[in-house]
Amino acid sequence: MLLAPYVGRFAPSPTGALHAGSLVTALGSFLDARAHDGRWLLRIEDVDEARSVAGAEAAIIEVLGQLGMHSDGPILRQSERKQRYAEACARLGTYVYPCACSRSEIALSSTLRAADGAPLYAGTCRQGLPPGKSGRSLRLRVPDAPHDLITFNDRHLGPCQQALASEVGDFVLRRVEGYWAYQLAVVVDDAEQGVSDVVRGMDLLDSSARQLYLQDLLGYARPRYLHLPLVVNAGGEKLSKQTGAAPILPGADEASRLALLQQAAGFLQLDTVGADSLAAFWRRALQSWRARWVD
Ligand code: GLU
């Protein structure tokens, strides 16, 4: 069987600067692509336009470039791809239905919790909108148990599974605000960019089953997944703009860039000790990544 060529990606949301956590994901995805002699694509996930911060996209691209990570193809922006998401959604046909429920109505009608702790959608609009109500969002029907179990193999965590009906519920594809949901955008983009391998943070593990389900419904090939451990702050919280993560700001000198890369590589348990130049760092990091993650 002919294997699909390796295509990896790093897909930051431009909600703030790159920080120690997102740098680890960028580095892991970049090394994995290089270790497979594959391509590495940068994609700007600004589908939720209200959360985009002016200047963040340019700053992310610049810092990655300063550290030696350049996209091997055009940089895709989700805000420019709404037509593609609309077309994919249309292809899902009757799996998609309009939902009139507000957040508070969902909370009131739900007695169960989804895996992420949010109230599990009770399926109120599944059989049609209640009289007098109009659709606010679009939801995707998930199969009823026991046909709702999604299983996959993560390169780091091994066998994983999620029961969509009880752990997620019918999920949103187009939000009340009119934006396409991350789950749909990421699946369409990964497929259209030919992404064979998704390397990203563990915080997105919970999204994988939804994405696999969408891939299956849309007839896309399933990529392989590798979810990396998350960098957390002293309080055990994932680093993010909300938790006050410090922006990565490489200096103009090689030593400061090297130090930032060494720190991210150390978190990934890559042995780059003693690398005294960027060229030496990349050699050592690649060797170490290969030994750990590529069979
Ligand atoms: N845009 C997402 C984030 O910044 C990453 C999505 C993905 O890698 O699938 O958290």
Side-chain angles (χ1 to χ4, degrees), residues 25 34 40 47 82 101 114 129 156 159 162 175-176 197 211 214 237 240 244 248 255 270:
T25 308
R34 289 290 172 269
W40 181 77
V47 71
K82 295 173 197 164
C101 301
L129 291 168
H156 176 208
Q162 190 171 54
R175 298 169 39 193
V176 175
D197 285 75
Q211 293 171 15
L214 271 169
E237 301 162 308
S240 69
I248 296 277
L270 303 175

Side-chain angles (χ1 to χ4, degrees), residues 183-197:
Q183 306 293 354
L184 178 68
V186 82
V187 162
V188 173
D189 292 347
D190 281 342
E192 293 193 0
Q193 292 192 289
V195 168
S196 65
D197 285 75

Side-chain angles (χ1 to χ4, degrees), residues 9 11-13 45 182 186 200 204:
R9 48 54 158 201
S13 305
E45 298 213 320
Y182 154 71
V186 82
R200 62 185 177 190
L204 290 162

Side-chain angles (χ1 to χ4, degrees), residues 103-128:
R103 212 179 276 262
S104 51
E105 284 168 333
I106 293 172
L108 280 175
S109 61
S110 170
T111 50
L112 302 168
R113 299 259 146 198
D116 65 1
L120 189 77
Y121 179 64
T124 315
C125 301
R126 229 181 185 216
Q127 313 305 339

